[in-house]
Amino acid sequence: MDKVDSPILHSLFAGITLRPQCGKAVYLQLAEAMVTLIQQGRIPAGGRLPGSRELAGILRLNRLTVTKAFQELEMQGWLESHIGRGTFVAVSLPQPKPWALGEGTAERDSLRRAGFELRGAEYLQHGVDPVTTRLHLDDGFPDPSLAPLKELYRAYRAQLDRGDLYGRFGSYGLANGSGRFLDSLTRYLNLTRGLNITERNVLSVRGTVMGLNLVCNGLIQPGDMVVAGIPGWRRAEANFQHAGAQLLGIPVDGGGIQVDALEQLCQATKVRLVYVTPHHHYPTTVSLPMDRRLRLLDLAHRYGFVIFEDDYDFDYHYKHRPILPLASADEAGMVIYCGSFSKTFSPAFRLGYLVASENVIAHLAKVRTLLDRQGDHILERAMAELLDDGTIQRSQRKALSVYRERRDYFCDLLTTELAGQVEFDVPEGGLTVWTRFDRHIDLIQLAAEVRKKGLYISDGMPHRYPTYDAHAIRLGFASSTKDALEESVGILKRAMGLAG
C-alpha cells in the first residue's frame, strides 16, 4: 500500500475547516472533507491515514468524532480498516488525476458547471421574467386579493381532516385526476363553455404549460409541422420546437390568425397541429370572429390537423358574454381544449385541464404518468367543493366587475397622460392592454429605467420576430388598484419625458 509522508498528511488534515455551528454533525463534515481529499488524488488509493488519536489531535476534536467519521467512510466504501495495521483508503478505488495546486478553482467547481456538454437552444432563452417590483403593469396576472383564498384554505383543510386516510393518502389515484374533481369540472365546463362532455373527456393537469407539454410528448413527432400565429406565445412555441416540430408562423391581424394563410399552407404541406388562442389572441388580445372560427374547424376536418385551443382567460370578457370556445362547435373531434384556474386565483396556483375525445384523453393520461404520476388530488377535491357550492362562479363575477372598472380607468390614464406616444384599442376582454409605442421610444431602455423606479413592464422582446415588430407590449391592469395604476402611469410619463 502507498505510504504518504506524515508531514504531508499533517498539512492536508490541518487545512480542513470544520464549522460546528452550521447545523451539520462535525463527524459528517470531517467525512466529506476526507472524501474531497481522496477524490482530488491528494490521498491515493491504499494510502494510510493517521490514527484516530493523532487526527483528533491535529484537528483538535474529540477522538470519538474522528472514529465516527472513519466508520461512516468505511460503511460507504471509501476506507478499509485492518486490525493492527491502521486505516487506509480503499485499494479498489480508481486513481483520480492528481490535484494540481495551480489549477483554477472555477474549472473544478462542479456545483457551478457540469463536466458534460449542454446542448442549448435559442428557444429556451425566453424564460420567465419575475416581477419583483412594488408596482407592475404585468403580462395579465389577476389580483390575488380578489381570489377566494380563504374558502380554498377551508376546503383543502377539510380534505385533510376527513376519514378514510388510506383511500385519500395511502395509494396513488388515477392519472386523469380525482373522480370528484372531474365530475364537478365536467358539469362546470358544460354549463359555462357550452360543451357536451363526460368525465372521460377531461384530464387534470398542472396548468396550461403542462397541458402543452403532454400534447407535444403524446402527439407530436420530430419533423411534424405545427402552425401558430405571429406574434404568439413564446412558451408554447418553445414546447413545439423542443418536441422537434417544424414551427410555421402565419400572420395575425385585427381578427386573429389569418385563416386564408392557413389554408394556403395546408395546400402546400401536411400540418399536424395548429395552436390558437381564439378568445383573446396572445399577445394582441383580439378575438377570432365566428366566420374564421367555423372555417378553422372546417380546415381541421378537411386537412386532418389537431387544433390546440388555449383558452387562458375565458371568464374575463367585458363587452358581452364570452364567446363559446371552438371545442363547443367541434363535431369532428379535432380540438384539444385547454384551460386553467390560474386567472381565478394566481399564476402560483397550478391547476388546469385538457378536454378532448375519450381516446385522446386516455392516451395523454398514459403519457402523463411518465412525467407526473398524478396531480394533487387533495387540491382537486377542494376545488370541486368550490365549484359545487358556487364559490368560483361568485368570485369570477366579482372580479369581472372590478377588472372592467380598472380597464376603463387605465385606458383613460393612457389616453390622457401618454397622449401622442402610445396607441391601443380598448380590449373587449382579458387582463391587459396591447399598447403600441412611438418608434422613437426604446422599450428596452424604458423597461430598465422604470424598474429602477419600482415599476415592472416588459421590454417587448418576447413579441418581436424577424418578420414582425409592432413595437408593442402588454400592459396588465388587473393586478393593480386604481391608485397603483395612476402611480405606474406617472412613472411611465416621467420616464418618457412627458411630465410638465
Side-chain angles (χ1 to χ4, degrees):
M1 295 185 181
D2 294 336
K3 180 175 176 61
V4 181
D5 290 339
S6 180
I8 296 177
L9 275 180
H10 189 285
S11 174
L12 290 178
F13 284 105
I16 292 177
T17 300
L18 303 173
R19 296 180 296 159
Q21 307 302 323
C22 77
K24 180 182 291 186
V26 173
Y27 83 92
L28 290 177
Q29 295 182 52
L30 175 58
E32 291 172 359
M34 292 170 66
V35 168
T36 299
L37 293 176
I38 296 170
Q39 290 177 321
Q40 291 174 345
R42 303 174 78 180
I43 306 177
R48 182 175 179 177
L49 301 179
S52 58
R53 186 187 303 277
E54 180 184 357
L55 186 53
I58 294 172
L59 297 173
R60 297 182 180 181
L61 293 174
N62 186 296
R63 184 180 178 185
L64 180 60
T65 300
V66 176
T67 300
K68 289 179 67 176
F70 280 178
Q71 292 172 343
E72 177 71 20
L73 294 182
E74 285 183 48
M75 181 180 64
Q76 294 183 22
W78 291 100
L79 302 182
E80 298 173 348
S81 179
H82 300 276
I83 297 176
R85 294 170 57 199
T87 302
F88 301 81
V89 176
V91 178
S92 59
L93 295 178
Q95 184 65 40
K97 177 183 177 181
W99 178 76
L101 291 174
E103 289 183 2
T105 55
E107 296 180 3
R108 297 182 291 103
D109 190 351
S110 60
L111 295 180
R112 292 194 296 118
R113 294 188 65 85
F116 53 84
E117 177 188 2
L118 287 179
R119 298 173 182 173
E122 184 178 353
Y123 58 80
L124 294 176
Q125 302 309 312
H126 297 284
V128 176
D129 185 13
V131 179
T132 57
T133 54
R134 180 177 63 87
L135 299 170
H136 36 78
L137 300 175
D138 51 45
D139 195 48
F141 302 152
D143 185 346
S145 70
L146 300 177
L149 298 179
K150 293 181 179 179
E151 292 84 350
L152 177 63
Y153 168 75
R154 286 195 292 266
Y156 194 95
R157 181 178 176 180
Q159 294 297 320
L160 300 178
D161 290 341
R162 291 171 183 166
D164 187 20
L165 291 179
Y166 186 82
R168 292 173 179 272
F169 307 113
S171 63
Y172 290 112
L174 295 175
N176 302 56
S178 159
R180 168 77 189 281
F181 175 63
L182 295 180
D183 175 67
S184 300
L185 180 61
T186 296
R187 286 186 274 107
Y188 171 75
L189 293 176
N190 285 340
L191 180 64
T192 61
R193 269 71 166 170
L195 303 180
N196 186 27
I197 58 174
T198 71
E199 294 177 28
R200 294 186 296 275
N201 297 113
V202 185
L203 173 65
S204 171
V205 294
R206 296 181 189 269
T208 300
V209 173
M210 181 178 179
L212 273 167
N213 193 266
L214 279 180
V215 168
C216 286
N217 284 328
L219 301 178
I220 301 298
Q221 297 292 327
D224 281 350
M225 300 292 180
V226 172
V227 177
I230 293 180
W233 188 32
R234 294 287 193 178
R235 192 61 50 80
E237 296 168 6
N239 267 279
F240 298 131
Q241 290 173 291
H242 199 66
Q246 294 188 43
L247 186 62
L248 304 175
I250 56 175
V252 172
D253 58 24
I257 62 168
Q258 295 182 6
V259 182
D260 288 339
L262 175 60
E263 184 169 14
Q264 293 175 8
L265 196 58
C266 290
Q267 291 169 352
T269 187
K270 175 64 176 177
V271 173
R272 173 58 171 165
L273 182 144
V274 174
Y275 170 80
V276 288
T277 50
H279 196 46
H280 303 124
H281 177 77
Y282 185 96
T284 66
T285 75
V286 299
S287 297
L288 193 68
M290 186 55 64
D291 60 330
R292 293 193 187 186
R293 289 169 177 254
L294 296 178
R295 284 193 60 201
L296 179 58
L297 289 170
D298 179 63
L299 290 177
H301 190 198
R302 283 198 284 136
Y303 290 100
F305 58 76
V306 180
I307 297 175
F308 188 102
E309 182 178 14
D310 180 356
D311 204 1
Y312 62 96
D313 60 359
F314 173 86
D315 299 292
Y316 302 111
H317 203 76
Y318 310 114
K319 188 175 181 180
H320 44 67
R321 287 180 57 83
I323 302 173
L324 293 180
L326 292 168
S328 67
D330 176 28
E331 297 181 353
M334 308 307 294
V335 178
I336 298 176
Y337 179 72
C338 183
S340 79
F341 291 99
S342 295
K343 295 294 187 290
T344 302
F345 287 90
S346 81
F349 187 83
R350 310 310 303 160
L351 184 58
Y353 46 85
L354 291 176
V355 176
S357 301
E358 291 182 13
N359 63 329
V360 174
I361 293 300
H363 172 67
L364 293 179
K366 294 175 183 176
V367 174
R368 189 241 178 89
T369 61
L370 302 177
L371 170 70
D372 185 21
R373 177 60 181 81
Q374 66 180 52
D376 184 343
H377 283 199
I378 305 300
L379 177 60
E380 291 172 5
R381 286 194 285 264
M383 175 58 72
E385 290 195 15
L386 301 189
L387 288 171
D388 290 344
D389 67 14
T391 296
I392 296 297
Q393 297 86 329
R394 289 190 296 273
S395 172
Q396 289 169 343
R397 288 194 295 270
K398 175 184 176 183
L400 180 66
S401 177
V402 173
Y403 294 156
R404 180 191 291 111
E405 188 175 352
R406 290 179 182 177
R407 178 204 62 172
D408 294 342
Y409 187 73
F410 182 57
C411 288
D412 286 343
L413 285 172
L414 292 179
T415 299
T416 58
E417 301 299 317
L418 305 184
Q421 303 301 309
V422 300
E423 294 180 350
F424 63 92
D425 297 316
V426 178
E428 294 183 355
L431 307 181
T432 66
V433 177
W434 178 241
T435 310
R436 302 174 293 278
F437 284 73
D438 189 280
R439 289 282 174 180
H440 82 275
I441 298 173
D442 186 328
L443 291 179
I444 296 177
Q445 181 178 337
L446 179 64
E449 185 173 345
V450 300
R451 185 169 292 201
K452 295 176 184 177
K453 305 297 183 182
L455 169 65
Y456 169 87
I457 64 170
S458 167
D459 62 8
M461 288 302 295
H463 312 312
R464 295 182 183 177
Y465 293 76
T467 60
Y468 176 90
D469 181 10
H471 204 62
I473 57 178
R474 286 163 60 88
L475 296 178
F477 55 82
S479 59
S480 301
T481 64
K482 287 184 178 181
D483 288 342
L485 290 172
E486 185 172 352
E487 186 177 355
S488 298
V489 173
I491 292 174
L492 274 177
K493 182 177 181 179
R494 290 188 292 274
M496 293 165 63
L498 302 178

